[in-house]
């Protein structure tokens, strides 16, 4: 079989595509692996996140769940569930630290800001403005 001409380029193209896709997938798998590794206290970041979710699940009302879903709606569908769990875990952590009797708008917005990367804050601000939520009390968190 002669590997010249268009067939050679076809094979080389697919080699590059497959290696690129495997590298991208490996990067995300490695990040997930690092989050699952136990820290010095014996629990991983995912363990803590799940613990905060379990301890505060009774504090969430239907309106608060709907608000969280609305806030994560700009996140691409593929990553939305992971983002929602991470943000809800941070909100739960804040609620436990403050002994909050119920999850409220303030906890949700603060937890979302703290849990999201700084590069996503402009999208969050846009979404909060669309929802007519005052962002002035959270400026110190957005600047940090």
């Amino acid at each position: 079989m002669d590997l010249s001409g268009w067939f050679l380029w076809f094979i080389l193209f697919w080699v590059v595509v497959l290696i690129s896709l495997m590298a991208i997938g490996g990067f995300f798998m490695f990040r997930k692996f690092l989050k699952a590794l136990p820290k010095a206290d014996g629990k991983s970041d995912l363990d803590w996140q799940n613990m905060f979710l379990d301890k505060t699940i009774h504090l969430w009302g239907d309106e608060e769940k709907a608000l969280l879903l609305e806030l994560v709606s700009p996140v691409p569908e593929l990553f939305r569930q992971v983002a929602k769990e991470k943000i809800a875990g941070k909100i739960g952590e804040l609620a436990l630290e403050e002994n909050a009797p119920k999850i409220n708008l303030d906890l949700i917005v603060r937890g979302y800001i703290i849990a999201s990367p700084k590069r996503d804050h402009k999208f969050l601000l846009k979404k909060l403005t669309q929802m007519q939520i005052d962002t002035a009390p959270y400026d110190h968190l957005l600047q940090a």
Side-chain angles (χ1 to χ4, degrees):
M1 179 167 203
D2 188 332
L3 288 180
S4 61
W6 69 271
F7 189 68
L8 175 65
W9 289 109
F10 178 76
I11 296 295
L12 289 176
F13 169 77
W14 279 110
V15 166
V16 170
V17 167
L18 290 175
I19 288 174
S20 300
L21 290 175
M22 288 188 335
I24 291 168
F27 170 75
F28 285 108
M29 286 176 54
F30 186 69
R31 283 184 47 193
K32 186 74 167 185
F33 170 74
L34 288 178
K35 289 181 183 180
L37 281 178
K39 306 290 184 213
D41 61 3
K43 290 189 175 188
S44 69
D45 291 341
L46 292 176
D47 291 336
W48 281 109
Q49 174 183 305
N50 290 334
M51 185 204 62
F52 291 134
L53 285 172
D54 291 340
K55 286 189 173 190
T56 59
I57 193 73
H58 65 283
L59 301 177
W60 287 86
D62 290 337
E63 290 178 18
E64 290 78 16
K65 290 178 186 177
L67 177 62
L68 181 60
L69 285 175
E70 181 65 28
L71 285 174
V72 297
S73 64
V75 176
E77 183 73 33
L78 184 61
F79 306 109
R80 194 170 296 155
Q81 183 65 30
V82 174
K84 188 176 81 169
E85 289 173 1
K86 179 181 178 185
I87 294 164
K90 181 53 77 175
I91 293 167
E93 180 181 357
L94 291 173
L96 287 176
E97 285 175 2
E98 299 173 10
N99 294 320
K102 185 177 184 290
I103 301 293
N104 57 29
L105 174 68
D106 180 58
L107 282 172
I108 292 172
V109 174
R110 282 190 297 134
Y112 196 113
I113 292 170
I114 294 169
S116 64
K118 289 181 185 176
R119 67 179 178 271
D120 294 342
H121 285 178
K122 66 179 179 178
F123 300 112
L124 173 60
L125 282 172
K126 182 179 175 184
K127 188 65 177 176
L128 290 172
T129 304
Q130 284 176 353
M131 297 175 68
Q132 300 174 344
I133 296 174
D134 182 26
T135 60
Y138 310 107
D139 285 341
H140 68 284
L141 293 173
L142 293 167
Q143 303 302 326

